[in-house]
Amino acid sequence: MTRPLARSVAIVGAGMSGLIAARRLRDAGFTVQVFDRSRRVGGRLATRVSDQGTFDHGAQYFTVRDPGFRIAVDAWRALGAVDTWTPRLVAIDAGGAQPAHSQLDDTTVRYVGVPAMNRIGEVLADGLAIRTDCRITRARHDSAGWHLEAEVGDPHAAPGPAAGVPL
């Protein structure tokens, strides 16, 4: 006899892939809990603030080739979370900085998050159950199901059972 399909899922990682997976699973009727070790969602869609200003230190921009991704990007544009970006790229060599027009494919449409790349992660996270500052160190299975264990000293240590943890 097979066990019925678990209807709850834990996802470790709140980057773009984890957040998209969580949204799709939630939309399919699963109860989803996302865990991430960082303070904010987004993974490589991260934006940092320093004394020198704000900068995107993961992905600085992205392109769209897949028709399914195009639908998502169009929805983000409608929300004002992304817009097209026309870079002013330069090549730096021994002669200094020179325009890099010859290296650019001028037909490529590039996109950025608005006001910064982390906005995309925020849009994807909207409505999801997410625990940040929670570094999952182990997933184990027993007769009661899957259990996640968090780093010792983590304020969310031992988050408890979560059936259907993707491994």
Side-chain angles (χ1 to χ4, degrees):
M1 182 174 181
T2 59
R3 285 175 56 171
L5 182 63
R7 298 306 294 177
S8 66
V9 176
I11 294 179
V12 180
M16 180 182 268
S17 295
L19 294 171
I20 288 173
R23 294 183 73 78
R24 287 187 175 182
L25 287 164
R26 184 202 60 194
D27 293 349
F30 289 84
T31 300
V32 180
Q33 176 71 56
V34 180
F35 299 91
D36 196 275
R37 67 182 178 183
S38 298
R39 289 178 291 169
R40 299 185 66 161
V41 300
R44 293 195 180 270
L45 298 173
T47 302
R48 297 286 187 251
V49 178
S50 74
D51 294 340
Q52 288 75 39
T54 301
F55 64 97
D56 296 317
H57 76 98
Q60 289 83 31
Y61 70 89
F62 63 93
T63 60
V64 178
R65 294 182 189 96
D66 179 77
F69 189 45
R70 162 77 53 216
I71 293 168
V73 171
D74 288 345
W76 300 340
R77 284 190 79 183
L79 291 171
V82 301
D83 205 351
T84 56
W85 178 60
T86 306
R88 185 176 151 248
L89 301 178
V90 297
I92 301 174
D93 58 21
Q98 304 297 322
H101 297 292
S102 62
Q103 298 173 15
L104 261 180
D105 173 4
D106 290 332
T107 64
T108 300
V109 179
R110 294 167 178 83
Y111 296 90
V112 293
V114 176
M117 290 300 277
N118 65 346
R119 179 68 179 128
I120 300 166
E122 293 168 357
V123 167
L124 289 170
D126 188 43
L128 295 174
I130 300 174
R131 287 172 88 172
T132 55
D133 289 319
C134 184
R135 183 170 186 220
I136 301 298
T137 57
R138 182 175 177 219
R140 64 179 174 79
H141 187 265
D142 62 23
S143 60
W146 285 99
H147 304 269
L148 300 180
E149 296 177 11
E151 191 170 66
V152 175
D154 191 307
H156 302 290
V165 175
L167 294 175

